[in-house]
Every structure is written in structure tokens, then in C-alpha cells.
Amino acid sequence: MALQGAALAQEFPQGGEAMSSGDIRKYVEDKVHDVKLADGTSWRLEYKANGYFFINTSRGFNGDGQWQVEDGKLCGQLRGRERTCNEVRLLKGVMHYKRDNGEIVQFVPK
């Protein structure tokens, strides 16, 4: 299993810029984003200004939790799970997010 995670480890695209907490908040707050994973799964993420977010996946998972930002990181805690903080970068107006397994995905606004 560890080998699978290592196989997905990626670097951010060349030219990606670190985002301040304010930039991240502005990008996600009160917006819906589509995310496509390497395995073909898609996510619909909705971040509310009140600090809650909702996720629906193409594999039938639906969840919610709380989100926060730190400089260069988007943090979240799905209900019943541990809090995580993940690095983000902005490239050509699109936020790139490094998942816990190392895969880089794009948050594409709807």
C-alpha cells in the first residue's frame, strides 16, 4: 500500500505560486469546485463562508466537515476523521492541491 502512495507522489507544476491564507480563502469561499483524481474519481467540493464544507464523489461518498486556511495550505476535517492541512499553489488562475498521498489535483471552479 505504501508503494501505491509513493507512486502518486508528484511535484507542483513549474511556475505555481504559493498562496496566502487570504488568497486561498478568496479562491474557495462560497464556491463549488470540481476535482478529478488520477484514478478517474471526481469530487464536487463546496466551501461555505461559515467554515463548513461539503464533498460528493462519483463513487457515492458524501461528507461534510470544517475548513480553515493557513499560508500556503488548505486545511479540513471531515466529520469523524483527523484534521489535515495540504499545500496549494496557484497556476494560471487554477488552484493545485497536494493530496495526502502526494497526488496533485486541480480545484476547477464551477
Side-chain angles (χ1 to χ4, degrees):
M1 193 70 142
L3 290 176
Q4 274 186 318
L8 286 176
Q10 300 172 339
E11 296 300 321
F12 283 103
Q14 196 78 4
E17 299 176 10
M19 299 174 73
S20 70
S21 59
D23 291 339
I24 299 166
R25 181 175 300 283
K26 191 184 317 180
Y27 191 89
V28 300
E29 192 171 78
D30 284 332
K31 294 183 179 81
V32 175
H33 293 87
D34 286 327
V35 176
K36 302 268 189 255
L37 307 186
D39 70 3
T41 302
S42 60
W43 297 347
R44 177 191 178 276
L45 292 163
E46 183 174 359
Y47 289 85
K48 297 293 191 179
N50 66 2
Y52 285 90
F53 75 97
F54 303 90
I55 181 171
N56 310 97
T57 75
S58 60
R59 297 187 186 254
F61 175 79
N62 299 300
D64 62 90
Q66 294 183 300
W67 68 278
Q68 306 85 29
V69 294
E70 296 177 2
D71 278 346
K73 294 181 180 179
L74 176 60
C75 304
Q77 183 173 6
L78 272 169
R79 188 180 311 209
R81 299 202 184 163
E82 301 254 338
R83 181 178 186 263
T84 62
C85 287
N86 298 78
E87 288 183 72
V88 296
R89 300 280 187 277
L90 190 67
L91 180 65
K92 297 181 181 175
V94 176
M95 188 173 80
H96 292 68
Y97 174 93
K98 187 172 232 177
R99 298 180 60 211
D100 291 340
N101 69 1
E103 179 184 4
I104 306 284
V105 296
Q106 296 180 15
F107 275 43
V108 179
K110 284 190 120 184

